[in-house]
Amino acid sequence: MPANVNDAAVRAFIDAVNAGDRVAFSEALTPDATMTDDGRERDLLQWAEREIFSANGRMDVVSTADGGRSLIADFTNDTWGAMRTRWTFTVEDGRIARFDTGQA
């Protein structure tokens, strides 16, 4: 992971995804966190289960901006294979309140 992912909440999110750790993933999020995928609102927990945990999802960060709150990553899972993705995070009180992702 590039050293310029300076935001601790984003680092925790990425580490949880790559470890397949549902508990750490939940702890990285605010209780009411929301998300979009390719511009469409999704149920975050259902999406995470399908795209990350049940499908062995993994993020390899390629580049970052905004202190690591915006990034480009190669996202790989057993369902879709590898794809270049963009991620933008909104952080509140040290946890992720929202993220927006989609193909880059």
Side-chain angles (χ1 to χ4, degrees):
M1 179 179 324
N4 54 350
V5 178
N6 295 328
D7 191 282
V10 176
R11 279 188 176 272
F13 178 94
I14 294 167
D15 290 345
V17 168
N18 288 344
D21 187 334
R22 288 174 178 86
V23 172
F25 182 83
S26 292
E27 290 173 352
L29 303 170
T30 63
D32 59 348
T34 60
M35 58 127 352
T36 63
D37 183 2
D38 284 328
R40 295 177 60 193
E41 292 287 332
R42 304 289 184 175
D43 179 290
L44 191 154
L45 296 179
Q46 287 178 0
W47 181 90
E49 185 59 38
R50 183 180 63 251
E51 299 293 336
I52 298 170
F53 301 114
S54 294
N56 300 308
R58 178 162 182 79
M59 296 173 68
D60 293 311
V61 177
V62 175
S63 64
T64 65
D66 191 25
R69 290 189 180 180
S70 295
L71 55 90
I72 300 294
D74 289 330
F75 184 80
T76 305
N77 71 20
D78 293 345
T79 303
W80 305 107
M83 67 186 89
R84 181 71 42 109
T85 55
R86 59 170 173 68
W87 299 77
T88 304
F89 298 91
T90 301
V91 176
E92 295 176 2
D93 298 324
R95 295 167 77 188
I96 295 171
R98 180 175 181 84
F99 67 91
D100 301 287
T101 188
Q103 292 190 40

